[in-house]
Amino acid sequence: MEIIIRRDEYYPKRLLQIQNPPERLYVEGDKKLLNQDAIAIVGTRNYTKYGEKYASKFARELSQKGISIVSGLARGIDSIAHINSMEQEGKTIAVLGSGFNHIYPEENRYLYQKIIENGGCIVTEYPPETLVDKAKFPKRNRIISGLAMGVLVIEARYRSGTSITAKHAISQHKEVFCIPHPLDTPTGYIPNLLIQQGAQIVTSGSDILQYYNEDEKYQGQEVSQEYQEVYNLIGKLPISANNIARMLNIEIARVTEALFMLELDGFIKQLPGNVYIRNYK
């Protein structure tokens, strides 16, 4: 186990952009995943065959493109997402609502071990001896959405914990993706509601990749490793060179060089006011 504090170089940069980021994280596994491209896949514990099918499909398709899958190690959709990402030799990140010595649910202890063995990552903001307290799970959900570029909602009933994750994503200015459901399906209530409120309808992993221009990224030219950490901080919301330098704790000259090269290669674009966003197509 490692402890990562907010000023640590391995602290997730996306978490620095949310409200109330954890002061420290307790991590097992590959901590480098915390700063790589990731999508959260979340949903109900009491899933349907439809939900199982599409949670598996999206986890596999995104993992095949090198996108890590973030979820909460819960029963149901969370477990399906973790397992199917690993079956594609992909990486997955599980966010706990308790300490490492109190895995919940107990039957997912094997999944916890499997994630570590397959080069994934387990993370929590709670010390190892912290007991399971379901009141902590809604707070945990802000980290699930915070680690990801966006959140895919598979299935969720009225007043579900999944809807809390979606709300966190919206407040963090992350995109929410949903698969459509028949109107009379209880587990489709939250996805359909989110679509009505402006969430992106998706039918395949490519839809999500295209939204972020990641399909082109993984099929063609890739961002140079030298500029990857700067690129990871740039998304839909405009950000300045000074803010990037502060968040990465590096010299402004390095940031401006990276921004120039990323813009030259078409990965980002500059907006009025000397701020930058990704070059979505």
Side-chain angles (χ1 to χ4, degrees), residues 207-235:
D207 291 341
I208 296 175
L209 293 169
Q210 288 171 6
Y211 179 85
Y212 293 106
N213 201 24
E214 296 294 308
D215 214 12
E216 290 83 359
K217 171 184 171 182
Y218 284 99
Q219 290 176 5
Q221 182 184 12
E222 294 188 10
V223 173
S224 168
Q225 187 65 37
E226 183 180 1
Y227 308 128
Q228 188 72 55
E229 63 177 359
V230 172
Y231 180 72
N232 287 343
L233 283 183
I234 302 172

Side-chain angles (χ1 to χ4, degrees), residues 91-275:
K91 304 302 180 184
T92 189
I93 301 169
V95 184
L96 306 183
S98 58
F100 287 134
N101 294 343
H102 300 278
I103 304 302
Y104 180 85
E106 179 63 30
E107 65 263 29
N108 272 1
R109 184 170 291 278
Y110 89 95
L111 182 54
Y112 171 100
Q113 295 295 338
K114 187 175 177 64
I115 290 172
I116 299 298
E117 291 168 4
N118 283 271
C121 182
I122 313 287
V123 61
T124 178
E125 64 181 315
Y126 301 110
E129 293 301 329
T130 304
L131 297 172
V132 174
D133 179 356
K134 292 184 179 181
K136 291 185 171 67
F137 290 169
K139 185 179 179 184
R140 173 275 308 266
N141 291 351
R142 84 192 192 287
I143 300 178
I144 293 176
S145 58
L147 288 172
M149 299 183 296
V151 174
L152 170 62
V153 177
I154 299 292
E155 288 187 310
R157 291 173 168 81
Y158 178 64
R159 287 187 174 179
S160 71
T162 299
S163 64
I164 296 174
T165 308
K167 288 178 181 177
H168 281 306
I170 293 168
S171 71
Q172 296 165 359
H173 306 288
K174 304 289 183 71
E175 196 60 44
V176 175
F177 305 94
C178 297
I179 61 171
H181 288 254
L183 297 180
D184 58 352
T185 305
T187 54
Y189 179 86
I190 291 299
N192 287 338
L193 177 63
L194 289 168
I195 291 169
Q196 186 180 38
Q197 294 174 346
Q200 298 284 328
I201 299 178
V202 291
T203 58
S204 69
S206 291
D207 291 341
I208 296 175
L209 293 169
Q210 288 171 6
Y211 179 85
Y212 293 106
N213 201 24
E214 296 294 308
D215 214 12
E216 290 83 359
K217 171 184 171 182
Y218 284 99
Q219 290 176 5
Q221 182 184 12
E222 294 188 10
V223 173
S224 168
Q225 187 65 37
E226 183 180 1
Y227 308 128
Q228 188 72 55
E229 63 177 359
V230 172
Y231 180 72
N232 287 343
L233 283 183
I234 302 172
K236 291 179 64 179
L237 295 179
I239 187 170
S240 69
N242 285 333
N243 280 340
I244 293 173
R246 176 181 56 81
M247 295 169 71
L248 294 177
N249 194 27
I250 61 177
E251 296 178 356
I252 189 69
R254 285 181 56 193
V255 174
T256 54
E257 177 190 350
L259 292 172
F260 175 78
M261 295 304 298
L262 289 168
E263 186 175 16
L264 189 66
D265 289 337
F267 290 110
I268 65 172
K269 60 183 176 181
Q270 185 178 14
L271 300 180
N274 293 321
V275 293

